[in-house]
Amino acid sequence: LLLLAGGSLHAQKEYNVWYFGNGAGVDFNSGAPVVLTDGAMTQLEGCASIADHASGALLFYTNGVNVWDRRHVQMPNGGPLGGHWSSTQSALIVQSISDTSVYYLFTVDQEGNESSPSRGASYNVIDMRLNGGFGDVVQRAIPLQKDAEEKLTAVGHCNGRDYWIVVHSLGGNTFYSYLLTD
């Protein structure tokens, strides 16, 4: 029975290609990790990448400040996105629930101080149908939560469709949750 059930499973490959550090990356599509050295990004802390759900082919990657397409070219309107190169969890990518060509790119700024306050958490909208299929940022750095810490995550809703975007308050122990729906 378990073998029959396994026949209907389909791999989800959207996290098969990672870019990070100084032009570094790893491709897991072949089963064994393959080193990549062609990235355009320089990043010391948080970053995010997303690949095609079915093929595992890279779509884009970000350091929370800028976003690059699979050719390693910055997307149109691809910065600044509201994140910071020194934010520990500067970026999070979530595919739209109703349109598989649209992605939400959530960012969080570094923790601020009186002379340089934090912008907090923001979101950006990327449409992969634009720019010849290489993507374009159609909405950029839209404020979500002011005074957020460098912590950002997404959790699937119990309805199996929607997502909770969770941000931690700056200097407190409050978590803010935003429901991403159609």
Side-chain angles (χ1 to χ4, degrees), residues 88-105:
T88 57
Q89 293 177 315
S90 62
L92 171 72
I93 302 166
V94 179
Q95 188 176 36
S96 171
I97 296 157
S98 58
D99 186 341
T100 59
S101 295
V102 173
Y103 291 83
Y104 293 94
L105 170 52

Side-chain angles (χ1 to χ4, degrees), residues 15-108:
Y15 306 113
N16 278 13
V17 181
W18 302 355
Y19 275 93
F20 52 88
N22 293 326
V26 180
D27 184 332
F28 295 97
N29 279 304
S30 69
V34 175
V35 173
L36 303 171
T37 59
D38 58 351
M41 177 172 63
T42 299
Q43 180 64 355
L44 297 174
E45 296 191 44
C47 53
S49 305
I50 195 78
D52 180 74
H53 169 79
S55 70
L58 177 69
L59 294 175
F60 62 89
Y61 57 99
T62 181
N63 60 2
V65 179
N66 299 303
V67 61
W68 294 270
D69 65 27
R70 66 182 174 268
R71 301 169 300 175
H72 313 288
V73 173
Q74 186 171 322
M75 281 185 184
N77 303 306
L81 303 174
H84 194 274
W85 64 267
S86 181
S87 175
T88 57
Q89 293 177 315
S90 62
L92 171 72
I93 302 166
V94 179
Q95 188 176 36
S96 171
I97 296 157
S98 58
D99 186 341
T100 59
S101 295
V102 173
Y103 291 83
Y104 293 94
L105 170 52
F106 295 90
T107 61
V108 66

